[in-house]
Amino acid sequence: MTAGGQVHRVQGPLVEAAGLPEVAVSSLVRLGARRVLGEIVGTREGVVTVEAYEYTGGLRPGDPVAVLGVPLSARLGPGLLGGVFDGLLRPLSDAPAWLEAGTVPDRLPPERRAFVPGVREGEVVGAGAELGVLRGAGVVHRVLVPPTAEGRVEALRGEGPCGDDDVVAVVGGVDVPLTTSWPVRRPRPVRERLAAGPPMITGQRVVDLLFPVARGGSACVPGGFGTGKTVLLQQLAKWCDADVIVYVGCGERGNEMADVLQEFAALSDPRTGGRLLDRTVVIANTSNMPVTARESAVASALTVAEYYRDMGLHVVVIADSTSRWAEALREFSSRTGDLPAEEGYPASLSSALAALYERAARVVTMGGREGSVTLVGAVSPPGGDLTEPVTTLTQRFVRATWSLDRDLAYARHYPAVSWGASYSRDVDLVAAWYADAGDPGWAARRAAVAGLLAEADRLAALAELLGVTSLPGHERMVLLAGRLLREGLLQQSALSERDAASSPARSAALTGMMLDVVTACQDLVARGVPATTIEEADFSPVLRAREDAGADDLGEIERRRRAVLGMLRSLGEAT
Ligand SMILES: Nc1ncnc2c1ncn2[C@@H]1O[C@H](COP(=O)(O)OP(=O)(O)OP(=O)(O)O)[C@@H](O)[C@H]1O
Ligand SMILES: [Mg+2]
């Protein structure tokens, strides 16, 4: 359906149109001869307010307005994986300026994908039921009955190559093409939301050991300028154990997106032997692209994630940065004359953030499979002020906060995740999951590490006032423990070949090693060995284990544990 009207007023991305018949809010429109895409955000007394997603330069009063009558929707199909898209999920195949020619590698050729039917004609299927699978799609790509269809399978495609727009089946009188469409602002329906259970393993020790995020949970990474938000998110994207990764560059630098693409294309995927890029969707709305499309970039990303979740996959959405997303809301609402609330953000910021993070969930899908969408977003508070509205409101809605500390970053302690200011609401559920999964010691190790770190911070403040030597021996051992844990366990260089990602077994071995060494030191002071003697001992074998031991070489960690424990024992015997 199209109906015509005229542009009435243009004010940046805000366009007013008149002369339109009855139109629905959130319907798409095309503006002027260039057919600039926009979305209706309000109607009042015959005047329709449109938010334009593209540059409105040249648009004038009197220019034609065509109403498309459909909401902003994402095209969902196998062409997503390995692709790079703009905020409206249009392929960025003609590489924008910030992507040098040749940096976007070829995607999986569609002719290598084959549909394999999994039902028979005549069967009755419900929404979300599996019609078949698509081979060669990078992941286990289930072709599903759309959420809005159900009924008898009246026709079904045979086994063989299947193009993006080919019809796979006719269900209840409705054609089901391989590529379907879904409105980005409407969460795809699920049968049931599940409580948190298994963690998403990120490969970053400070996260996995201290502040885990559950699958289907959400986390934010607040941090001032240059504290390592982007590097941490990129590490997550590269190493986390999600099946599909949706990476959204939202208002950040374009060259960082180019880096992401290049690195992903170079990384081989331990699961498939292919490239990591082949199970990644990159959505780029960088700082040089239209601000209004930022908001839809995040909604598009979540829709893509829900599409793969419905196939029974675990998906992570990584957004850098949600502050730029919130700024887009602010910029637009200031133009519509909304009454601003705190720091100029609209009063609706809180509900917009809530709606965003609510789309993260572990669910039983319509088709009865378990799937999840985990959402991780960077927050970049201006001036590093963590009391500003986006940071404080976000923390209300996420399950975990990994707060980056400027002092740690200056000291080149990376990742600069503050153990004092970070938290995870999923610790207990994750601990129960580890216990079930054969690691009942996880909770105790976490408690021991967190306790020592907090106590070491408290004592360090005291030692600064009074001098270390005025502290009793066992407290000096806590200070030593703090140093060992910070340097030998929490620090993890993104650039390290062996340590960039740490498997749960490796993290557990390194933690166990450090805690055993700390216990041995405490025993020595208790037996009268001078604290100074212990402090001056050579701990470098355990401190360097994270860098020296191969990614899977738990034996080396064990050897170093024994060597240092032996060294401490001989210290005890010598005194
Ligand atoms: N885990 C890490 N390992 C090694 N180096 C790191 C790590 N994290 C951060 N760095 C260093 O810190 C620099 C800044 O990090 P990054 O660009 O991620 O900060 P940011 O918080 O995203 O900054 P901005 O506020 O500008 O977006 C990196 O270029 C890198 O040198
Ligand atoms: Mg950054």
Side-chain angles (χ1 to χ4, degrees):
M1 175 195 82
T2 56
Q6 299 87 42
V7 170
H8 181 65
R9 199 156 76 107
V10 182
Q11 194 196 353
L14 176 86
V15 177
E16 286 179 356
L20 292 166
E22 253 177 52
V23 286
V25 170
S26 88
S27 171
L28 290 181
V29 296
R30 293 276 184 189
L31 306 164
R34 278 196 301 117
R35 299 179 49 75
V36 169
L37 193 65
E39 180 178 343
I40 296 177
V41 292
T43 68
R44 202 186 318 152
E45 289 161 17
V47 176
V48 167
T49 308
V50 173
E51 176 172 3
Y53 287 125
E54 296 162 306
Y55 182 56
T56 53
L59 206 62
R60 281 201 202 87
D63 281 353
V65 178
V67 179
L68 305 185
V70 288
L72 181 64
S73 299
R75 260 173 68 79
L76 302 169
L80 290 167
L81 291 182
V84 188
F85 303 87
D86 75 359
L88 305 176
L89 220 60
R90 295 177 297 201
L92 286 173
S93 46
D94 41 346
W98 47 268
L99 279 176
E100 287 164 35
T103 55
V104 185
D106 289 339
R107 316 230 316 255
L108 220 56
E111 61 276 12
R112 279 198 3 231
R113 302 185 200 123
F115 176 69
V116 182
V119 289
R120 276 197 216 99
E121 274 180 34
E123 263 181 65
V124 173
V125 291
E130 180 177 326
L131 293 167
V133 294
L134 196 69
R135 292 257 166 78
V139 294
V140 180
H141 186 114
R142 298 178 203 277
V143 182
L144 304 180
V145 177
T148 48
E150 61 180 342
R152 212 170 62 81
V153 179
E154 286 150 22
L156 186 68
R157 194 184 182 81
E159 181 164 342
C162 186
D164 281 359
D165 292 309
D166 288 348
V167 171
V168 169
V170 180
V171 175
V174 179
D175 279 1
V176 179
L178 185 57
T179 299
T180 54
S181 159
W182 189 263
V184 298
R185 289 189 224 294
R186 192 189 314 156
R188 285 169 68 91
V190 299
R191 195 183 283 177
E192 189 190 345
R193 285 173 79 101
L194 298 171
M200 179 175 81
I201 305 294
T202 65
Q204 303 300 298
R205 273 189 300 277
V206 60
V207 169
D208 293 341
L209 290 173
L210 292 177
F211 310 108
V213 61
R215 279 185 170 168
S218 50
C220 70
V221 185
F225 178 72
T227 49
K229 298 178 291 295
T230 300
V231 172
L232 181 58
L233 292 189
Q234 291 182 357
Q235 288 304 99
L236 235 68
K238 280 197 240 170
W239 306 114
C240 79
D241 67 349
D243 300 313
V244 171
I245 299 118
V246 184
Y247 194 98
V248 206
C250 189
E252 297 290 302
R253 292 176 285 274
N255 60 339
E256 290 181 344
M257 293 300 288
D259 289 349
V260 168
L261 288 176
Q262 238 156 359
E263 284 190 35
F264 279 30
L267 271 180
S268 71
D269 182 349
R271 298 191 189 187
T272 60
R275 301 171 310 175
L276 184 61
L277 196 63
D278 294 335
R279 51 187 184 90
T280 303
V281 182
V282 175
I283 297 178
N285 181 268
T286 47
S287 46
N288 55 339
M289 294 162 93
V291 172
T292 38
R294 275 184 206 168
E295 196 253 331
S296 57
V298 178
S300 299
L302 285 161
T303 306
V304 169
E306 289 168 355
Y307 170 66
Y308 284 106
R309 172 203 69 192
D310 287 349
M311 295 180 197
L313 296 170
H314 297 289
V315 188
V316 65
V317 175
I318 294 175
D320 190 7
S321 126
T322 58
S323 295
R324 309 278 166 263
W325 169 88
E327 281 166 20
L329 298 186
R330 174 169 69 183
E331 174 159 341
F332 192 75
S333 80
S334 75
R335 286 180 196 273
T336 54
D338 281 357
L339 211 55
E342 229 181 320
E343 301 205 4
Y345 288 102
S348 58
L349 175 64
S350 171
S351 56
L353 278 166
L356 182 73
Y357 283 101
E358 204 174 64
R359 288 180 80 168
R362 186 164 79 104
V363 305
V364 179
T365 67
M366 295 290 281
R369 281 167 293 271
E370 185 192 317
S372 66
V373 173
T374 309
L375 176 56
V376 181
V379 181
S380 10
D385 167 20
L386 298 178
T387 63
E388 60 89 44
V390 181
T391 313
T392 52
L393 286 172
T394 300
Q395 283 176 302
R396 230 192 260 170
F397 301 119
V398 294
R399 304 285 305 165
T401 291
W402 306 323
S403 191
L404 300 188
D405 184 273
R406 185 177 313 190
D407 294 337
L408 288 178
Y410 281 162
R412 306 196 64 76
H413 172 115
Y414 293 123
V417 175
S418 155
W419 45 91
S422 301
Y423 65 85
S424 162
R425 296 190 231 262
D426 289 334
V427 168
D428 292 344
L429 289 166
V430 166
W433 181 86
Y434 272 111
D436 278 349
D439 184 4
W442 186 87
R445 282 199 304 276
R446 176 185 190 275
V449 171
L452 284 167
L453 288 168
E455 185 66 359
D457 282 354
R458 190 183 69 81
L459 292 172
L462 215 59
E464 215 164 284
L465 279 175
L466 309 173
V468 178
T469 47
S470 64
L471 297 180
H474 71 273
E475 293 193 339
R476 287 170 66 174
M477 291 306 102
V478 173
L479 283 176
L480 172 65
R483 182 166 76 84
L484 294 177
L485 292 172
R486 288 191 304 269
E487 291 176 20
L489 189 66
L490 299 188
Q491 287 190 20
Q492 190 176 354
S493 170
L495 306 171
S496 166
E497 205 170 295
R498 296 171 164 174
D499 198 39
S502 190
S503 68
R506 177 181 164 90
S507 300
L510 286 168
T511 315
M513 172 188 77
M514 283 306 184
L515 291 175
D516 286 355
V517 168
V518 169
T519 308
C521 294
Q522 293 284 21
D523 288 350
L524 287 182
V525 278
R527 283 174 30 216
V529 177
T532 315
T533 310
I534 305 168
E535 284 161 357
E536 285 169 358
D538 178 17
F539 291 101
S540 60
V542 289
L543 284 173
R544 289 216 319 261
R546 64 177 170 91
E547 277 294 329
D548 294 348
D552 300 314
D553 193 354
L554 301 184
E556 179 60 22
I557 296 171
E558 176 59 16
R559 275 191 288 284
R560 286 169 185 240
R561 185 183 77 95
R562 292 219 190 117
V564 169
L565 290 179
M567 177 272 289
L568 290 171
R569 217 174 301 120
S570 55
L571 264 188
E573 282 153 13
T575 43

